[in-house]
Amino acid sequence: MRESDILRSLEPQSPPSIPSPVPTSPPSTELLMPSQGMITTPHTTVLVITGMHRSGTSLIATLLQEAGVYLGDQLIGANTGNIRGHFEDVEFVQFHQTVLRSQNLNIEGWMIQPHKQILPEYVTVAKTLITRKSQQNLWGWKDPRTTLFLNFWQTLIPQAKFIFVYRSPWEVVDSLYRRGTDDLIQQNPQLAIDSWILYNQKILEFYRKNPSKCVLINVNYLINNHQELINKINKDFTLNLSHPNYAQIIQPHLLKSKSIPSYRTEIIKQYFPKALDLYLALEAESSPLNAEPELSWLQWQPSDPPQAWICQDWLKIRNLEREIEGLNTELKLNKTQPIPSEIIPVKPSDFVSSQGLKAYEAWLNVNQWNQRAQMFLHSRLKKDISKLPKLSVIMPVYNPLVEYLEKAIASVTQQIYVNWELCIADDGSTNPEIQEQLNQWQKQDGRIRVIFRPENGNISQASNSAASLATGEFLLFLDHDDQLTPDALAEIALYLGEHPETEFIYSDDDKIDSQGIILLLNLNQIGRQNCFYLICISVIYGE
């Protein structure tokens, strides 16, 4: 039975009523546990990585995993707030969340209220988890919620070592606000700084009681001193961790760190002095792994008075709201008012770029096929559907590369315009895979018709054989290694619908490599003003 299944089966439907003694001191925010025996795993080393959310614990976990620490087989992957992954063992995260949920607490750990004792059945689950993980000689886990369970885990694993990561309160709060995915913080922004105080107070208390079992580091110190953390762990815990490739792991821009004080520092100083005192205490205890040993926040003064930056923030908020309102209005207009069909297209040769690109390159960048263009094309097709012709795509085939043939046929089947048929004549190809592929395509789509010539003739005979299968009003000739853009047949059909007297259309074409990259433009003098296709298309009226 998986650990997650055990956790779900043990989770109470409602919080149990457990008598608790009258406290003689302020209630603790530590998750407590009943008396129980410890788990001794003398042949394993356990490293526990934790700290306040958004403090850099994922970066530390990445380094330790690359250095040889087993952090689990099922790790929580990347998301908006952590694009490189969380490196959190799913089973430990589920354990912490289940215990928090059993006490009607937020499973992410956003709380400041006191907690009840951990139920014995959860202790049993924790022991089972530890026993199984201890099959590894050097293992550990990372989860910020562990900070709420420090005494619990130390009792169960007395030989465990703890690596605490911290970051300034203004950086953490700013990161949480930028992430914008935490509902409770969105409802109560002050919860971010209150939680920072709670988590780091618990870290500082535990560190002072157990200094020989802990390493404390400011994540910003690691940015400029890559090797020092591993060196410290190896020295203090008598290990021999290898140094990972720091250049591939440490990316300072992801932390968006601001070492220079700003008025947000002054907000912490003026309204949350406990947080500033706590940060200074962490800096003192973590030396030499602290980030700002010479900077006294108590003496720093902002360059502008509080009234100035309060008004500046107010102004920025109103400007952003106005910008968002304008974007929403533009989106509504785009949805209800498509581009008028009478707009005259600009020829690639006439296109002027302000970015120094060649005219055709600039034109291609502006005329990218996208969802908006697709929606507009669908609306045009619906308006003119009754007068649009059936198009017969004529394709002679002789020993092409199978990859190119598949791309050519797929470019037809992926057309926005659906009133087409693909008429293929194989001109005696000697590669048996060609016939196999053509038969498979014919079975997949009833609009594809194939004829196999008994002997090789030439491209004109093969084209005539394919044309003999056609039932459409117009014939469109396509080579076996060419590709159509998704809108090609639709634009041809729309043009023919508007100009029924047309008997011949000839498009421009581009040259593309095996990866589909455009190499150059072959601009035919008799080509249409606007070119929609990556290949040369000839369309003639079929009688």
Side-chain angles (χ1 to χ4, degrees):
M1 190 176 189
R2 293 185 307 172
E3 195 69 40
S4 57
D5 297 328
I6 296 174
L7 293 176
R8 280 191 288 269
S9 66
L10 291 176
E11 183 174 342
Q13 296 302 312
S14 59
S17 177
I18 300 178
S20 57
V22 177
T24 57
S25 60
S28 170
T29 52
E30 174 65 56
L31 283 162
L32 304 174
M33 63 181 289
S35 299
Q36 63 240 303
M38 66 183 66
I39 295 180
T40 56
T41 53
H43 301 297
T44 67
T45 300
V46 184
L47 298 181
V48 181
I49 307 156
T50 192
M52 170 62 182
H53 297 271
R54 312 305 294 168
S55 293
T57 53
S58 296
L59 174 60
I60 304 300
T62 307
L63 290 175
L64 292 180
Q65 184 185 59
E66 292 297 317
V69 181
Y70 171 78
L71 295 181
D73 294 322
Q74 291 181 293
L75 302 181
I76 295 178
N79 63 11
T80 304
N82 214 331
I83 62 174
R84 299 187 66 182
H86 291 76
F87 293 87
E88 296 175 4
D89 190 316
V90 170
E91 293 177 306
F92 279 97
V93 171
Q94 288 180 337
F95 175 82
H96 292 145
Q97 290 181 336
T98 303
V99 174
L100 292 170
R101 188 184 294 112
S102 73
Q103 299 186 18
N104 280 347
L105 299 172
N106 177 262
I107 63 173
E108 300 303 324
W110 304 124
M111 73 273 191
I112 55 175
Q113 65 268 46
H115 308 293
K116 300 177 183 178
Q117 195 175 61
I118 296 177
L119 296 175
E121 50 262 45
Y122 293 127
V123 178
T124 301
V125 172
K127 288 182 176 180
T128 303
L129 185 56
I130 293 168
T131 300
R132 184 155 48 79
K133 298 292 184 180
S134 295
Q135 296 176 8
Q136 303 287 332
N137 292 327
L138 176 59
W139 67 279
W141 75 87
K142 171 256 173 177
D143 182 12
R145 301 167 193 82
T146 305
T147 306
L148 306 173
F149 295 75
L150 291 176
N151 292 332
F152 173 85
W153 289 115
Q154 186 196 33
T155 303
L156 285 182
I157 321 173
Q159 83 277 19
K161 309 298 183 183
F162 294 82
I163 300 169
F164 295 121
V165 190
Y166 71 96
R167 197 177 176 195
S168 71
W170 44 91
E171 288 176 303
V172 170
V173 170
D174 187 67
S175 179
L176 287 169
Y177 289 170
R178 280 189 287 105
R179 181 169 71 171
T181 59
D182 307 287
D183 292 339
L184 282 182
I185 291 179
Q186 293 294 309
Q187 298 167 14
N188 178 15
Q190 185 177 327
L191 188 58
I193 186 64
D194 290 339
S195 296
W196 186 95
I197 293 173
L198 167 66
Y199 275 66
N200 286 284
Q201 183 65 51
K202 295 180 68 60
I203 287 173
L204 186 61
E205 292 173 357
F206 188 90
Y207 178 84
R208 285 173 169 172
K209 292 178 181 178
N210 307 277
S212 64
K213 295 183 177 182
C214 305
V215 166
L216 180 63
I217 183 171
N218 187 319
V219 71
N220 290 324
Y221 175 84
L222 185 68
I223 302 303
N224 298 317
N225 304 274
H226 297 170
Q227 299 185 9
E228 294 306 311
L229 175 62
I230 299 296
N231 291 339
K232 176 76 170 174
I233 292 173
N234 284 339
K235 178 182 177 181
D236 290 2
F237 301 154
T238 318
L239 296 176
N240 189 29
L241 298 179
S242 60
H243 285 277
N245 188 332
Y246 294 103
Q248 291 183 356
I249 298 174
I250 298 178
Q251 299 182 16
H253 70 278
L254 293 180
L255 287 173
K256 294 182 173 61
S257 176
K258 294 182 179 179
S259 58
I260 300 176
S262 69
Y263 67 82
R264 306 200 188 281
T265 311
E266 181 67 12
I267 293 177
I268 301 297
K269 178 180 175 181
Q270 291 293 332
Y271 299 104
F272 303 96
K274 184 177 180 180
L276 186 58
D277 291 342
L278 183 54
Y279 181 59
L280 292 172
L282 290 168
E283 284 285 277
E285 294 288 353
S286 65
S287 180
L289 304 185
N290 53 350
E292 297 149 334
E294 300 178 357
L295 188 57
S296 174
W297 302 106
L298 294 176
Q299 298 176 0
W300 176 79
Q301 295 295 330
S303 57
D304 297 318
Q307 296 89 335
W309 44 261
I310 289 175
C311 292
Q312 187 66 36
D313 259 10
W314 191 349
L315 176 62
K316 287 181 179 179
I317 290 171
R318 297 306 295 171
N319 285 339
L320 288 172
E321 289 175 345
R322 185 176 65 255
E323 183 178 344
I324 292 171
E325 183 178 352
L327 291 172
N328 287 333
T329 302
E330 183 179 345
L331 285 173
K332 292 178 181 178
L333 290 174
N334 289 340
K335 289 181 180 179
T336 58
Q337 299 180 11
I339 302 173
S341 59
E342 61 268 16
I343 290 180
I344 300 175
V346 179
K347 293 189 295 183
S349 57
D350 295 339
F351 199 90
V352 178
S353 168
S354 60
Q355 301 179 3
L357 299 174
K358 293 181 180 179
Y360 186 55
E361 290 176 330
W363 183 89
L364 280 176
N365 287 340
V366 173
N367 289 272
Q368 293 286 338
W369 177 248
N370 53 42
Q371 186 176 7
R372 180 182 175 187
Q374 181 175 337
M375 293 174 60
F376 180 48
L377 184 56
H378 275 296
S379 67
R380 292 167 60 202
L381 289 171
K382 289 180 181 179
K383 183 172 61 175
D384 299 325
I385 193 66
S386 60
K387 60 181 182 180
L388 301 183
K390 180 179 182 179
L391 301 177
S392 297
V393 181
I394 308 302
M395 180 186 291
V397 171
Y398 180 69
N399 281 339
L401 290 176
V402 174
E403 176 187 0
Y404 294 166
L405 177 62
E406 288 184 341
K407 289 181 178 180
I409 297 176
S411 75
V412 178
T413 62
Q414 294 167 3
Q415 290 296 301
I416 300 300
Y417 189 63
V418 297
N419 191 16
W420 56 262
E421 62 181 358
L422 176 56
C423 305
I424 301 174
D426 179 71
D427 197 23
S429 296
T430 57
N431 182 357
E433 192 175 352
I434 301 295
Q435 182 174 349
E436 180 182 344
Q437 289 294 325
L438 292 177
N439 282 328
Q440 184 176 345
W441 277 107
Q442 189 172 210
K443 291 178 181 178
Q444 290 178 358
D445 195 318
R447 294 170 296 179
I448 299 177
R449 308 171 68 187
V450 181
I451 185 173
F452 295 95
R453 291 171 50 83
E455 59 183 6
N456 177 255
N458 52 48
I459 190 170
S460 60
Q461 292 184 32
S463 298
N464 286 334
S465 296
S468 68
L469 303 175
T471 61
E473 301 169 52
F474 285 84
L475 306 182
L476 184 149
F477 293 90
L478 184 67
D479 287 345
H480 60 200
D481 55 358
D482 286 337
Q483 296 177 44
L484 298 172
T485 56
D487 55 342
L489 298 189
E491 293 294 348
I492 290 172
L494 286 167
Y495 184 86
L496 293 172
E498 294 175 0
H499 305 86
E501 72 284 359
T502 302
E503 295 186 355
F504 182 80
I505 296 176
Y506 189 74
S507 81
D508 299 317
D509 69 286
D510 285 336
K511 304 301 181 185
I512 58 176
D513 63 15
S514 60
Q515 303 300 316
I517 305 300
I518 298 174
L519 302 178
L520 56 89
L521 170 69
N522 177 20
L523 187 61
N524 297 291
Q525 294 301 318
I526 61 172
R528 301 238 331 259
Q529 271 196 324
N530 199 354
C531 56
F532 300 93
Y533 329 109
L534 290 179
I535 56 89
C536 171
I537 304 174
S538 299
V539 184
I540 62 174
Y541 179 69
E543 295 184 352

